[in-house]
Amino acid sequence: MKRTLSLVSLITFLISNLVGQRSTEHDFLIENPVVEQIELVTNRALYISGEKIQFHAFYSSNLKMVGNSWSKVLYLELVRPDGTPIVQKKYSLGEKGVSGSLEVSESVLSGNYILRAYTKWMRNFPVENYAVRYLKIINPTKQNLSKSASISVKKKIEIIPFSTHENSIDIQLSKDSFAKRESVSVKLLPPETKSGTNIASISVVRKGAEFSTKINQATSEKIDTLDSFFFLPEIYGLAITGSINAHSDDTDIESQTTVKLISLDENAFFSACQTGKNNRFYLNLPGLKDEHEFFITANNGGATKEIVFDEAFCTRKVFYDLPDFELPKNEAALALELASNKQINRLFKEPETPELQTKNMDKPARPFYGKPTAVYKTIDYIDLPTLEDFLFEIVFEFRVLRKDGVPFIEMRNNHPYKAYPMLLFIDNMPVHDITKLLNIQMSKIERIEIIDNGYIVGNMKYSGMLHVITHESKFAGIELPLNSMFFRYSGYNNKKSGVMHTPLYTTFRERTPDRRNCLYWNADFDLSKHDTFSFYTSDVKGEYEIILYSKTGINGKMEISRKRFVVE
């Protein structure tokens, strides 16, 4: 009988592999590799610089656990054919995929581009397997073309027409031509023999805006060995990974290092772990959006170390062998129309109300641990020289002891984690040198916050927590720990997509021009619940296409259905 492992068991094995332990699940993962598949679609393939690329990434894997995906983060990049990134964003990945938008800068030059998607787990396998979409971007304000460097490694992207399978969904309209600003109702008829069809992405664009390109499917391959295994799957969301490198004069290369990470925003976040095999670390993050500032420190008994982060996005070289950039007569006319529409829409677009900036940079960060079990405000007690004196005379939860002349703090009450070290902070920053902390003058301290129970962070256990908050939030003269640094990290892209709303002409001002380049876009159309949708045509006459992308079953093939109509 084929053995099935839980997601937790597999991740436990992967982490144990990082720390160099042989697991009984080793052979199971080799024989039954977790294979992820991504197929990437966009609302069209021809764009004007400054527009948003609407996309949907269909995701599937061979995991047999409903509601779980092996990876929770999708990495999306717009790159030149030589792999040079133009835009890089991260998106929260669900069991069936993710939809979103990627804004193209106004400064992007005209040329051929690749939109590619992958997970961190896929970075263990050839870069040629990433999901890709071939796009053309036109910049009407710049005559220069985007140029790529010459690279020997090449990945060929075939340009072939979309095929319409005999089981594709039938798209039905009441007629073949419509007036400007007329409502269009669409009926979808899946074939009777079809089973498993669920989520579809639907786009309505000008004919020619979605030229025929192959949808390249990203697939992680079978694992032959775990010796070169490097990237863990991000099953809980974003993770910061890297290694702690020893300096040349450090002989203790393989010893474990404690790595601590804390965010410096109002909503503080803290994570910690011990390094494993090759002194690598793995720190989970919450569902962060946009950019945040972090502080990280690595403690290994005072030894000098170098913190080296893994690149958030893939840096391996690849050259996508695309055709030379050119605009045939019909595409040139369409590009001119799209560019004109974009400019007209911008002129008549109602200004958006700017979001109020409520963040107070002078406001201290909220502690990551929430409400402490005890708070000691120094103003409520007699004056004492140092923090050590205050802990001895006032704070009954802790006591300061010494072993071989080195001080340490111990919990007075008994609990299962009493034997573990104490978690120490000053002004939301971790402290390694307990001697300097205990010698702080009490006149500089505003209050002390305490957690007097066991505290678990990542794979680290602590007997409790002591947080010293000073009057000026300047660490009371304590220097930052050795082997520490500040850095900025970008979280999930905060741009939502899914459905592109069309105007309602009962309320839309009659004299306002409607020059939409995409009449309808629904990235997550549920075919199991709906079989109809509607949209309005715009002021632009010409031939249009309804394009529907759908998947069948958990590892089914992508199917494309098309229907043309005319706006007169």
Side-chain angles (χ1 to χ4, degrees):
M1 180 180 295
K2 187 175 179 179
R3 187 159 59 100
T4 301
L5 294 180
S6 69
L7 187 60
V8 174
S9 298
L10 285 172
I11 292 300
T12 302
F13 155 66
L14 290 170
I15 295 175
S16 67
N17 182 69
L18 275 185
V19 298
Q21 299 174 358
R22 183 74 176 190
S23 169
T24 57
E25 283 77 18
H26 182 280
D27 294 336
F28 179 87
L29 192 58
I30 295 293
E31 297 171 3
N32 305 273
V34 177
V35 177
E36 295 181 308
Q37 291 183 343
I38 294 175
E39 286 165 311
L40 186 63
V41 300
T42 56
N43 63 331
R44 61 184 195 271
L46 183 63
Y47 292 91
I48 306 301
S49 57
E51 287 192 303
K52 291 181 180 179
I53 299 172
Q54 306 287 346
F55 75 91
H56 182 81
F58 291 86
Y59 174 87
S60 61
S61 74
N62 61 344
L63 281 178
K64 304 303 180 184
M65 291 159 285
V66 177
N68 283 310
S69 56
W70 189 238
S71 299
K72 291 293 192 299
V73 184
L74 180 83
Y75 295 84
L76 188 74
E77 298 180 281
L78 180 68
V79 301
R80 295 193 184 102
D82 64 359
T84 303
I86 304 300
V87 187
Q88 298 176 313
K89 298 293 181 181
K90 305 162 193 167
Y91 298 84
S92 179
L93 184 62
E95 180 187 4
K96 296 181 180 179
V98 61
S99 59
S101 64
L102 191 74
E103 190 164 353
V104 180
S105 170
E106 296 277 3
S107 63
V108 170
L109 298 177
S110 300
N112 296 326
Y113 292 86
I114 288 292
L115 188 69
R116 68 181 186 182
Y118 52 90
T119 65
K120 185 166 283 189
W121 174 252
M122 287 181 174
R123 289 174 66 180
N124 293 302
F125 308 99
V127 65
E128 291 84 356
N129 291 350
Y130 295 169
V132 299
R133 282 281 277 151
Y134 165 42
L135 307 176
K136 283 185 179 181
I137 298 176
I138 310 299
N139 190 327
T141 65
K142 296 181 182 295
Q143 295 183 353
N144 296 338
L145 297 180
S146 176
K147 295 181 179 180
S148 298
S150 178
I151 298 177
S152 58
V153 180
K154 292 191 176 183
K155 161 74 174 104
K156 186 176 181 180
I157 305 297
E158 297 180 69
I159 309 301
I160 63 174
F162 278 137
S163 60
T164 304
H165 304 290
E166 61 179 0
N167 287 333
S168 294
I169 296 170
D170 186 20
I171 303 174
Q172 294 188 345
L173 299 173
S174 60
K175 53 185 179 180
D176 295 329
S177 62
F178 297 85
K180 294 187 295 183
R181 303 196 178 197
E182 183 177 354
S183 177
V184 180
S185 296
V186 184
K187 177 73 173 179
L188 304 177
L189 293 178
E192 295 181 0
T193 57
K194 183 70 67 179
S195 62
T197 300
N198 191 357
I199 299 299
S201 293
I202 305 172
S203 181
V204 182
V205 294
R206 288 282 274 121
K207 179 186 174 183
E210 172 56 283
F211 45 78
S212 297
T213 63
K214 180 181 179 181
I215 294 180
N216 179 270
Q217 182 187 70
T219 306
S220 55
E221 298 178 342
K222 182 177 180 179
I223 302 173
D224 295 321
T225 176
L226 292 178
D227 293 340
S228 59
F229 179 76
F230 195 76
F231 293 105
L232 282 171
E234 294 174 302
I235 65 164
Y236 298 114
L238 291 168
I240 293 178
T241 60
S243 59
I244 307 299
N245 294 348
H247 285 251
S248 57
D249 57 346
D250 189 354
T251 58
D252 192 18
I253 297 177
E254 295 298 328
S255 61
Q256 284 188 324
T257 301
T258 300
V259 182
K260 297 176 182 178
L261 174 78
I262 190 164
S263 68
L264 303 180
D265 302 309
E266 290 182 25
N267 295 324
F269 166 79
F270 174 74
S271 183
C273 72
Q274 281 193 318
T275 56
K277 186 178 180 180
N278 298 322
N279 236 355
R280 288 190 55 76
F281 62 85
Y282 186 102
L283 295 164
N284 285 308
L285 298 177
L288 296 177
K289 296 180 180 180
D290 301 322
E291 193 174 56
H292 297 261
E293 187 174 9
F294 284 91
F295 176 81
I296 189 170
T297 178
N299 181 34
N300 189 350
T304 303
K305 302 286 183 178
E306 180 185 12
I307 303 173
V308 179
F309 296 105
D310 294 335
E311 292 288 346
F313 291 86
C314 179
T315 58
R316 286 181 287 174
K317 297 297 184 182
V318 63
F319 192 95
Y320 296 95
D321 193 9
L322 301 179
D324 293 336
F325 176 77
E326 61 179 1
L327 282 179
K329 187 176 181 179
N330 60 329
E331 280 191 9
L334 179 58
L336 179 60
E337 178 186 300
L338 297 179
S340 300
N341 293 342
K342 173 177 169 288
Q343 293 299 322
I344 293 173
N345 282 337
R346 173 177 292 180
L347 288 174
F348 286 89
K349 182 180 179 182
E350 294 186 4
E352 297 180 357
T353 303
E355 295 183 3
L356 295 177
Q357 182 61 263
T358 58
K359 184 175 180 179
N360 184 358
M361 300 304 294
D362 296 327
K363 182 179 179 180
R366 179 178 61 85
F368 64 88
Y369 48 84
K371 185 178 180 180
T373 55
V375 177
Y376 290 87
K377 295 182 179 181
T378 57
I379 195 173
D380 296 334
Y381 301 93
I382 61 171
D383 293 334
L384 292 169
T386 66
L387 176 62
E388 182 172 0
D389 296 315
F390 191 85
L391 295 179
F392 179 78
E393 298 289 349
I394 306 297
V395 180
F396 67 87
E397 289 91 349
F398 302 147
R399 59 183 176 185
V400 179
L401 303 176
R402 280 176 167 76
K403 183 177 180 180
D404 298 328
V406 178
F408 65 95
I409 300 177
E410 182 182 74
M411 299 289 302
R412 291 185 183 274
N413 64 323
N414 292 318
H415 60 72
Y417 297 110
K418 183 175 181 178
Y420 289 96
M422 183 76 62
L423 192 55
L424 304 175
F425 284 88
I426 182 168
D427 295 330
N428 280 310
M429 301 293 280
V431 177
H432 294 160
D433 193 331
I434 187 173
T435 300
K436 290 183 178 179
L437 182 69
L438 293 174
N439 287 332
I440 293 177
Q441 298 297 308
M442 285 303 298
S443 59
K444 298 180 180 180
I445 297 176
E446 177 190 339
R447 68 185 186 278
I448 297 170
E449 296 184 350
I450 288 173
I451 300 288
D452 62 358
N453 295 309
Y455 202 86
I456 300 176
V457 182
N459 63 355
M460 303 292 294
K461 299 181 179 67
Y462 297 95
S463 59
M465 190 211 65
L466 172 67
H467 185 189
V468 176
I469 295 94
T470 66
H471 289 292
E472 298 181 354
S473 298
K474 294 183 178 180
F475 319 120
I478 290 185
E479 296 180 356
L480 293 177
L482 185 68
N483 310 322
S484 62
M485 61 185 295
F486 296 92
F487 68 98
R488 299 196 70 82
Y489 181 84
S490 294
Y492 293 123
N493 185 35
N494 203 18
K495 302 295 183 182
K496 298 294 184 180
S497 178
V499 178
M500 181 181 291
H501 297 284
T502 62
L504 297 174
Y505 283 106
T506 56
T507 59
F508 193 74
R509 291 177 299 182
E510 185 177 349
R511 298 180 62 183
T512 302
D514 180 4
R515 310 282 296 188
R516 286 169 291 138
N517 285 334
C518 181
L519 299 185
Y520 180 84
W521 168 250
N522 191 333
D524 306 290
F525 190 91
D526 193 338
L527 294 166
S528 65
K529 297 179 180 179
H530 308 285
D531 60 2
T532 61
F533 68 93
S534 63
F535 60 90
Y536 280 93
T537 61
S538 68
D539 294 335
V540 182
K541 297 180 180 179
E543 193 170 0
Y544 288 80
E545 279 190 312
I546 301 172
I547 306 171
L548 184 148
Y549 309 92
S550 62
K551 287 216 39 163
T552 57
I554 190 167
N555 286 319
K557 294 181 178 180
M558 177 68 67
E559 294 186 343
I560 300 95
S561 303
R562 293 174 179 263
K563 182 71 174 181
R564 294 181 180 178
F565 66 94
V566 175
V567 176
E568 298 177 336

